[in-house]
Amino acid sequence: MNPILFAPSPERIAASNWTAFRNAWAARDPSVPEEPRALWRHSVTYAPAFWQELRSHAGVIDEGSPEPALVGDAMPGATWFPNLRLSFAENLLRRSDDGVALIACGERGSRREVDFAELNRMVAGLQACLRRLGVGEGDRVAGLMPNIPEAIVGLLAANSIGAVWSSCSPDFGRQGVLDRFGQIEPTVLLTVDGYSYGGKPFDIRTKVAEIAAAIPSLRAVVVVPYLEASPDLSPVPNALSWQEAVQGGEAKPSFVRLSFDHPLLVLYSSGTTGTPKAIVHGQGGTLLQHLKEHRLHGDLKDGDRLFYFTTTSWMMWNWLVSGLACNATLVLWEGSPFHPDPAVLWRLAEAEGFTQFGTSAKYIDACKKAGVRPAEFGLAKLRTLFSTGSPLVPESFAWIYEAVKQELQVASISGGTDIVSCFVLGYPTLPVRMGEIQGPGLGLAVDVWNDDGQPVCEEKGELVCTRPFPCMPVSFWNDPDGSRYRAAYFERFPGVWHHGDYAEITESGGIVIHGRSDAVLNPGGVRIGTAEIYRQVEQVEEVLEAICVGQDWEGDVRVVLFVKLRPGLELDDGLRERIRRQVRANTTPRHVPARIVQVADIPRTMSGKITEIAVRDVIHGRPVKNTEALANPQALDLFRDLEDLRH
């Protein structure tokens, strides 16, 4: 088994939300087991009872009957809680006192506190504005917003009247925004005059004006002042200032309680293989799933301070916002995580007393390579470190316990936009093992299957979920017969959710993600997860980042590795050989790259994920269907017509 890096004390286990939930459930059902992995199996076997117990334990505000919890068992087709009505926003705004709801910080040195009373007032004000504009149930409200309080207000105000929220970060290009919002035809757009990144201001009013002109359904554009206190809004058609929009509201909003599956959010796939899929998520499934993940798996408690480095384009922003339902304080960061230096977020963690710190695996690796020592800042209150976006390699686990904090639950988590949550994540009552995600989410029948559809353990295969679960998408937008939805998740294994992750269940019951299935390499017919190669390459001191793809070559596939090196360094034969030795010594000869090529940059999506499929298309001379989905599409030019790949 992989070595244990951290084990929670008996006192920590006893005080956890997980234990409180298990004990409450066991008081009503003596068959509920105590051991965590046995509890997961029980929660899957008796999934309707589990979700009913969670709803009750978390104090969900709703009306109607919780019976039946589940109608049908087909995927897709099963229906959860058909007789319940609720409001997602009402469950997040259950507090209206002077306790701190949001702490908003930015790279320009700004800091702002918003208490629950003020948050309620802003939501009530925007709610009244939306109603004046004729927004009603099922209409869409879009946000082209940085990670600031007003974006959260937009989501909550939209849901409070039954409208559907969808957001993108303001660094998206014009066409990227239209590829997303153009599909859903919003009635109102909430935006800013500009944003800051890396110490540079970016005025987006001209872009907003072009976007507004291209979406005929828009009745108004509400502009939040961010770069300037009183920006000139004359270039923007049908513009309302934020002050105009929210003035004169009540102290608290009213809430329309609608069906469990009433649309809450539209999120978008990365879009690197075509127009982004618009994925519709229901309010009840999202609420229950996030309550489970925050309270039970993340041990988020009243008064905790939850931080996740994210933009409004990434599903983790929606996940972060739901922390309000646990009466936690959310800490928001707007700007670069490396400005003015790579330690800025760790200083913020100590200054604001983060109890849970969330970020990406790439950020952790970048801090390690930059020589950051977060333990120097204290981090006395930090209990949990979340990591997602890509697999957290064993060496990064080790660095966290050496350079960040020893008494810390490292919760590597993995799921995605498709379920706006996680399939596999942390267990606060189990040890953390090197390189492993601790386990599957309660109530989710997660498994790993081989190509023949057979469950496998200690063998790589496809991550699947074999039974219905509440946070499955309600639908895809503009998919009236559900054919695109079924093709996305149920074509590979009919009736079973196929997630597209290449995964492995370990001897201890933990899970390792080896990369995306569609990026798996296949030299000589042997399937290799790219994460296995990245783990080795990123240990080479000279390498800042890498991307690995398969190149069709002489009737087979050969492994091609592109590396971005530290500034001023050049790739030579000696470094190539050291990289190959590192890979060969710790994997297999099949993993060793046939070609290693230096590049100045690596293309990535807006949420920071490297784009292996786009690079693979470029080196084969195929068009990349939607470069607007990329944060740095110009980087693709570095991979075209390379001499090193012609022999």
Side-chain angles (χ1 to χ4, degrees), residues 351-409:
E352 300 296 348
F354 293 2
T355 50
Q356 285 88 1
F357 184 130
T359 186
S360 68
K362 288 294 182 186
Y363 170 81
I364 291 169
D365 185 63
C367 287
K368 177 168 66 114
K369 296 237 168 183
V372 178
R373 306 285 299 180
E376 296 174 359
F377 304 112
L379 307 177
K381 295 183 179 179
L382 187 64
R383 301 197 311 269
T384 306
L385 181 68
F386 298 112
S387 169
T388 193
S390 60
L392 186 67
V393 299
E395 290 72 22
S396 291
F397 273 85
W399 177 81
I400 291 168
Y401 284 104
E402 189 269 328
V404 180
K405 191 173 183 178
Q406 292 181 348
E407 292 298 311
L408 186 68
Q409 181 196 4

Side-chain angles (χ1 to χ4, degrees), residues 578-599:
R578 279 201 290 121
I579 292 171
R580 288 191 173 106
R581 281 202 307 268
Q582 176 71 27
V583 174
R584 184 182 293 109
N586 296 285
T587 56
T588 75
R590 291 282 190 189
H591 290 71
V592 178
R595 289 286 182 271
I596 305 177
V597 181
Q598 182 176 0
V599 288

Side-chain angles (χ1 to χ4, degrees), residues 435-456:
E436 292 186 15
I437 298 172
Q438 287 175 283
L442 289 167
L444 302 183
V446 174
D447 209 344
V448 174
W449 284 11
N450 64 19
D451 290 342
D452 297 325
Q454 298 299 313
V456 293

Side-chain angles (χ1 to χ4, degrees), residues 162-173:
V164 185
W165 173 260
S166 189
S167 59
C168 290
S169 57
D171 55 343
F172 269 67

